[in-house]
Amino acid sequence: MSLQEKLEALKTETAAKIAAASDLNVLNQIRVETLGKKGPITEVLRGMKDLSAEERPKVGAFANEIRDELTAAIATKKAELEAAALDLALAKEAIDVTLPGKQIPQGNRHVLTQILEEIEDIFVGMGYQVIEGNEVESDHYNFQRMNLPKDHPARDMQDTFYISNEVLIRTHTSPVQARVMEKHDFSQGPLRMISPGKVFRRDTDDATHSHQFHQIEGLVIDKNVTMADLKGTLEVMMKKMFGADRKIRLRPSYFPFTEPSVEVDVSCFKCGGAGCNVCKHTGWIEILGAGMVHPDVLTMSGIDPEVYSGFAFGLGPDRVAMLRYGVNDIRNFYQNDVRFLSQFKGE
Ligand code: FA5
């Protein structure tokens, strides 16, 4: 076989291999094997020394032509394979923008937080400050400064979780009264505050009692504050919370830190006053205790009861939420069942 024939055969064979190459690695291997220094074209060119002087340039030119053709064929095939690889990657990574999006569940504020904020807003609108108290309190502030000395029988009204003899988790928000009164500077104006927060009692849990619940303490001290101011303030709040139609009653009561004292009940949302298991067959649900601040409580906080008087109240927002939404078991608020909580979307 002449050199020219050899080159022709090589071209045909290599062109077929290039056409059949299925990926870039195979193609690169063909290029190295055919066009490389140890490849057949180089070998043919080396054999040219045995040719005659006329034949040599012809065969040389033919060899170069074949090399250029194969180089071009490889480049074309390479571009083809690269384009195919790109198409494949694009197809694999394609995003179907017409598919429906995933639903992201949206949370909402806890129903009790919503009620607390709503009550805060009512009082802030009447010029009250909002003060945060401590959940861990001393016996001194929780009881003694509230006119409940160590051996006072009324301590039993609030069964207590003690941490030590002197430290406890507060049973009511009333200790905030003492902490605020002892610091207040009356030359700056009257004292008007509310203090919302958690309280704890060794109560047996039932439909309207929880061992952990919330209170909102209210306190107003100024010259000439009377029971009529207390009643008027509570009426404004109740009407805003429950609407003008709901029945409310004030009952004389007893708290060691107020004199006189009252308890405020709202007609039962479930039976409308006829009596049922929620209201323990009384027709009413108690939502707050209140009264005129006891002169001894004022004196212990350095306020002269001959000059100043005031009223205080302790409201149970958990029960407000029950009345508002017809929830017949307070424990629902603390079990954190999302199916229950997600019903109260708020604004
Ligand atoms: C007090 O705790 C007084 N410190 C309130 C007070 C403040 C009176 C200032 C006078 C002046 P009482 O124990 O009644 O009072 O609780 C007040 C309110 O908290 C109740 O009316 C009720 O709404 C709520 N409450 C009491 N115990 C529970 C409980 N176990 N679970 C849920 N709410 C409760």
Side-chain angles (χ1 to χ4, degrees):
M1 205 191 273
S2 73
L3 275 181
Q4 238 149 325
E5 281 165 348
K6 267 191 192 169
L7 284 169
E8 196 68 62
L10 183 69
K11 180 184 145 188
T12 317
E13 187 194 331
T14 311
K17 274 194 202 161
I18 292 171
S22 57
D23 69 53
L24 287 164
N25 284 339
V26 173
L27 187 67
N28 195 40
Q29 216 174 320
I30 297 169
R31 185 184 61 78
V32 172
E33 278 172 7
T34 320
L35 307 174
K37 274 190 191 140
K38 289 178 188 153
I41 296 189
T42 318
E43 205 171 297
V44 168
L45 291 173
R46 257 189 226 125
M48 287 202 332
K49 60 182 182 321
D50 304 327
L51 294 179
S52 63
E54 313 88 82
E55 255 181 328
R56 226 179 272 158
K58 277 193 217 152
V59 175
F62 188 57
N64 282 338
E65 198 179 297
I66 285 178
R67 195 178 47 205
D68 292 348
E69 272 176 35
L70 290 177
T71 305
I74 287 172
T76 310
K77 184 71 183 180
K78 191 175 174 218
E80 247 172 53
L81 288 174
E82 278 173 352
L86 183 65
D87 283 350
L88 194 70
L90 286 176
K92 248 197 225 162
E93 291 163 22
I95 295 169
D96 182 352
V97 290
T98 63
L99 283 175
K102 269 190 203 152
Q103 291 272 336
I104 300 170
Q106 197 183 358
N108 53 276
R109 282 171 313 146
H110 194 284
V111 54
L112 291 178
T113 309
Q114 294 178 31
I115 290 280
L116 284 174
E117 288 178 0
E118 196 178 316
I119 298 172
E120 277 175 32
D121 282 350
I122 294 173
F123 283 97
V124 167
M126 294 195 279
Y128 287 58
Q129 320 171 52
V130 180
I131 305 226
E132 293 245 344
N134 310 324
E135 287 175 12
V136 176
E137 255 305 354
S138 61
D139 185 279
H140 175 79
Y141 280 102
N142 195 79
F143 288 128
Q144 295 172 50
R145 289 284 294 276
M146 288 287 107
N147 217 13
L148 281 144
K150 283 261 177 188
D151 53 356
H152 200 289
R155 283 192 178 217
D156 291 349
M157 287 163 74
Q158 304 179 7
D159 235 346
T160 311
F161 290 113
Y162 279 96
I163 292 169
S164 69
N165 274 346
E166 294 306 320
V167 182
L168 45 85
I169 40 179
R170 66 181 177 186
T171 57
H172 54 173
T173 43
S174 296
V176 184
Q177 286 189 36
R179 289 189 178 273
V180 171
M181 276 191 268
E182 68 187 10
K183 283 210 198 96
H184 189 72
D185 175 1
F186 283 93
S187 69
Q188 303 297 308
L191 166 52
R192 276 193 219 104
M193 72 97 189
I194 56 161
S195 184
K198 273 189 217 138
V199 302
F200 310 86
R201 287 186 198 175
R202 288 182 347 135
D203 265 342
T204 310
D205 291 359
D206 63 21
T208 52
H209 292 80
S210 166
H211 59 281
Q212 177 208 289
F213 57 101
H214 292 80
Q215 284 191 342
I216 299 182
E217 195 76 10
L219 177 68
V220 171
I221 311 226
D222 198 0
K223 289 177 181 155
N224 305 316
V225 176
T226 70
M227 193 82 182
D229 296 313
L230 169 63
K231 214 178 149 204
T233 306
L234 293 179
E235 261 169 19
V236 168
M237 183 190 73
M238 299 297 180
K239 285 204 173 120
K240 288 207 168 156
M241 293 305 298
F242 301 115
D245 300 341
R246 180 82 69 154
K247 277 198 233 133
I248 287 155
R249 74 173 183 189
L250 266 66
R251 262 182 303 120
S253 185
Y254 170 75
F255 297 104
F257 32 93
T258 46
E259 181 58 36
S261 305
V262 289
E263 268 171 332
V264 177
D265 302 335
V266 178
S267 55
C268 178
F269 65 88
K270 193 175 176 197
C271 61
C276 68
N277 60 331
V278 173
C279 59
K280 303 216 173 68
H281 304 282
T282 63
W284 298 93
I285 295 179
E286 177 209 316
I287 61 158
L288 68 83
M292 299 306 292
V293 180
H294 196 291
D296 289 350
V297 171
L298 292 175
T299 308
M300 279 189 273
S301 295
I303 297 171
D304 185 351
E306 297 296 328
V307 181
Y308 291 99
S309 57
F311 66 75
F313 59 85
L315 165 80
D318 307 47
R319 293 200 183 154
V320 171
M322 291 176 77
L323 286 159
R324 167 73 83 77
Y325 298 118
V327 173
N328 60 13
D329 197 321
I330 195 171
R331 289 167 286 199
N332 284 318
F333 296 130
Y334 295 101
Q335 282 159 352
N336 285 335
D337 182 334
V338 176
R339 288 167 304 176
F340 171 77
L341 295 176
S342 61
Q343 297 173 77
F344 308 98
K345 292 274 177 244
E347 300 107 50

